[in-house]
Amino acid sequence: NGTVRNQGTIRAAGLNAGERGGSITIAAKVVEQEGTIDASAAANGGAVTINVTEYYTDIPAALITVSSHQGAAGDITIEGG
């Protein structure tokens, strides 16, 4: 459980009609969110869970999305610190 620095894209999105978003879980001492985490979907959004034992940081351009085009949005949970 060291440091996770996301500077790119982590995706578990449901891009096709009727698909649901997936689940993304990140667990570490430190999470530095500088990119995109995408669990959005055409039907229902997925879930993003971030568990840290020390601290979480992000930058203004960072994005976490669990949106949906037709159904319910998903859940974003950031725990710890």
Side-chain angles (χ1 to χ4, degrees), residues 38-64:
D38 181 1
S40 62
N44 291 334
V48 174
T49 303
I50 299 173
N51 294 302
V52 297
T53 56
E54 291 186 15
Y55 64 89
Y56 168 89
T57 63
D58 59 25
I59 63 171
L63 174 67
I64 300 175

Side-chain angles (χ1 to χ4, degrees), residues 3-78:
T3 298
V4 173
R5 174 181 283 163
N6 175 35
Q7 295 179 311
T9 300
I10 300 172
R11 180 172 286 132
L15 303 176
N16 299 311
E19 290 184 343
R20 297 174 180 252
S23 296
I24 297 169
T25 300
I26 300 170
K29 286 183 182 180
V30 175
V31 173
E32 298 172 348
Q33 167 56 355
E34 300 173 1
T36 298
I37 300 175
D38 181 1
S40 62
N44 291 334
V48 174
T49 303
I50 299 173
N51 294 302
V52 297
T53 56
E54 291 186 15
Y55 64 89
Y56 168 89
T57 63
D58 59 25
I59 63 171
L63 174 67
I64 300 175
T65 181
V66 293
S67 64
S68 172
H69 299 287
Q70 299 171 337
D75 297 305
I76 298 170
T77 305
I78 300 173

